[in-house]
Amino acid sequence: MILAIAPLPPLRTGIAIYSQKLYSEIGKHIPLTILANKQAGKTWKNKTKIKTIEAWNYNNPFSFLTLLAKLIKNRKKIIHLQLGYTWIKNPLITQPLTTLLLTITKLLRMKTIVTLHGIVTKETLNTYFSTGETEKTRTLTAIIHAIYTIHYKLLTSTTNIIIVHNSNIKRKLLERTRQKHEKKIVVIPHGVDTPAISKKTQTEKEKITLLFTGFIRKNKGIEELIEAINLLDKKTREKLKVTIAGSPHIGDDTNYYTKIRNMIKKYRLEKTIKLKIEFIPENELNKLLENADIITLPYKDFFYEASGVLARAMGYGKPLICTNIPKFSSELKNKVDAIIIPPGDKNSLAKAIKTLIENKELRLKLANNLRKRAKLREWGKVAQKHIKLYLSLAKL
């Protein structure tokens, strides 16, 4: 009944992990065929009603032709596309290929659902380039912004339903398209894992464990985190054990990794901060999240998207420090679900860390509230919302 086009592991992207978890749940209830990237069939271990077909190569735009052939051969009444900034490696190639793909599905009389995982705005582009505003960057930003505006207008006009993960993304998408498309844009939040938390006896730990996890890149506030740790008084810092763990981001400048290593040495924080810049397997990430006492996401970007790391952290119900940026402000309330601070503010970050170290009652309050919010977004519940959409569209 349903044909999906989605990246899957071993591709190391947030959307690949998202797709695997979502379709694992959907496939328990309805038949599903997934056109996925090269090698996806080798790692897809979920059972029941799912069929996976390797249909394109992330690094090869010409593999789009293979995807089209597989699409025509396996076409169903409804097609569901998972769309990030890229599904073919280059984002400016992804856009026209997506438009062509949706045009072909329309000619084949397939009903289309697109999950739009993020929207490119001027704030997004300014964050991405982050080189200071010059005439050249202003012009480049204006051109790319215009290209994406055309892309979103074509997307909304060729699609039956667009799924976004929060109200901020929906608002920005409507600003770029037309209000007449409001009814076809549906908000379904990013799913949350129900972790199998160890039942080992909890003992009072000598130190509080603070965790940062996610892609290691410039706009994640890692420099401010290191500086905030350095700002803590010696007594507070001695109570703290910090782990910064995550994958390098494709295409980023590796000199940045040297810079943050040097910062840790400069402030003599080698005994306090453990830095792991490498791919973190799922089982290891689960252990890091389970063992953390506090999670911090001091991001500085203004990307209008959902945070997969936030979704993972919510499931574990850990006290959280994050910044007042779109991907968090649409999900959380300050001092209710998290301590929310201004982006790029090392002093506020240091104060928030110190507050949570010293205030166990506040840690428990934030953790419990975040855990309650996570219950509403478990993958099974998110999958059921998708299935209802599929059924409603099938009746049209």
Side-chain angles (χ1 to χ4, degrees), residues 36-278:
N37 46 285
K38 188 177 178 182
Q39 296 186 324
K42 295 177 183 177
T43 59
W44 185 259
K45 296 177 182 177
N46 299 290
K47 335 82 191 162
T48 64
K49 305 174 188 292
I50 301 171
K51 177 184 178 183
T52 305
I53 299 170
E54 295 180 9
W56 86 89
N57 184 338
Y58 178 78
N59 295 306
N60 180 8
F62 294 104
S63 66
F64 178 75
L65 298 174
T66 306
L67 174 60
L68 287 184
K70 305 267 187 180
L71 167 66
I72 293 167
K73 183 178 178 181
N74 296 278
R75 68 179 180 267
K76 310 287 183 190
K77 188 173 183 179
I78 296 172
I79 185 166
H80 185 185
L81 171 63
Q82 298 290 339
L83 182 61
Y85 303 120
T86 61
W87 52 268
I88 295 289
K89 192 171 186 179
N90 188 309
L92 295 180
I93 293 175
T94 292
Q95 292 174 67
L97 291 185
T98 301
T99 302
L100 178 57
L101 179 68
L102 292 172
T103 302
I104 290 169
T105 60
K106 204 164 189 177
L107 291 173
L108 293 171
R109 297 185 178 181
M110 299 172 73
K111 293 177 179 177
T112 56
I113 299 176
V114 173
T115 296
L116 188 63
H117 288 269
I119 182 166
V120 175
T121 66
K122 284 183 178 176
E123 300 102 313
T124 307
L125 294 168
N126 289 335
T127 298
Y128 183 77
F129 290 119
S130 64
T131 52
E133 191 169 304
T134 65
E135 188 62 37
K136 185 177 179 180
T137 57
R138 279 195 296 270
T139 302
L140 185 60
T141 297
I143 292 170
I144 295 175
H145 187 265
I147 291 170
Y148 270 101
T149 298
I150 295 167
H151 171 64
Y152 295 134
K153 286 182 177 179
L154 290 170
L155 182 68
T156 50
S157 62
T158 55
T159 306
N160 295 93
I161 296 172
I162 297 175
I163 298 170
V164 296
H165 294 310
N166 59 55
S167 57
N168 274 341
I169 302 173
K170 180 173 181 175
R171 175 174 57 82
K172 281 293 180 179
L173 183 57
L174 286 170
E175 286 176 8
R176 302 283 283 284
T177 56
R178 294 180 182 177
Q179 292 297 321
K180 72 176 185 178
H181 295 302
E182 197 272 339
K183 289 185 179 179
K184 71 164 62 174
I185 303 172
V186 178
V187 176
I188 299 181
H190 192 297
V192 171
D193 291 312
T194 308
I197 297 175
S198 169
K199 293 182 180 179
K200 64 186 178 184
T201 305
Q202 294 294 316
T203 57
E204 282 294 322
K205 294 194 287 186
E206 188 178 326
K207 296 199 175 192
I208 297 289
T209 301
L210 178 75
L211 173 66
F212 169 97
T213 186
F215 283 119
I216 306 294
R217 60 183 314 179
K218 291 180 182 178
N219 55 31
K220 293 297 184 76
I222 297 169
E223 294 157 80
E224 284 78 10
L225 175 57
I226 295 167
E227 289 173 340
I229 302 302
N230 184 56
L231 286 173
L232 295 171
D233 59 86
K234 185 179 178 183
K235 185 179 178 182
T236 303
R237 195 162 58 241
E238 285 176 347
K239 296 176 183 177
L240 196 59
K241 176 183 176 184
V242 181
T243 299
I244 299 172
S247 299
H249 195 272
I250 297 170
D252 276 357
D253 183 0
T254 55
N255 289 333
Y256 178 67
Y257 311 139
T258 303
K259 179 180 179 180
I260 58 177
R261 287 190 185 99
N262 288 340
M263 284 184 70
I264 293 169
K265 289 178 183 177
K266 173 186 172 183
Y267 295 128
R268 298 179 181 177
L269 295 173
E270 295 97 326
K271 291 182 179 178
T272 304
I273 300 176
K274 181 180 180 181
L275 181 64
K276 293 186 69 172
I277 305 176
E278 59 190 57

Side-chain angles (χ1 to χ4, degrees), residues 165-166 190-191 297 299 305-312 314 327-328 331 377:
H165 294 310
N166 59 55
H190 192 297
L297 304 174
Y299 297 4
E305 59 189 16
S307 170
V309 176
L310 173 60
R312 293 292 293 269
M314 287 176 80
K327 70 177 75 176
F328 300 139
E331 308 266 5
R377 291 174 45 176

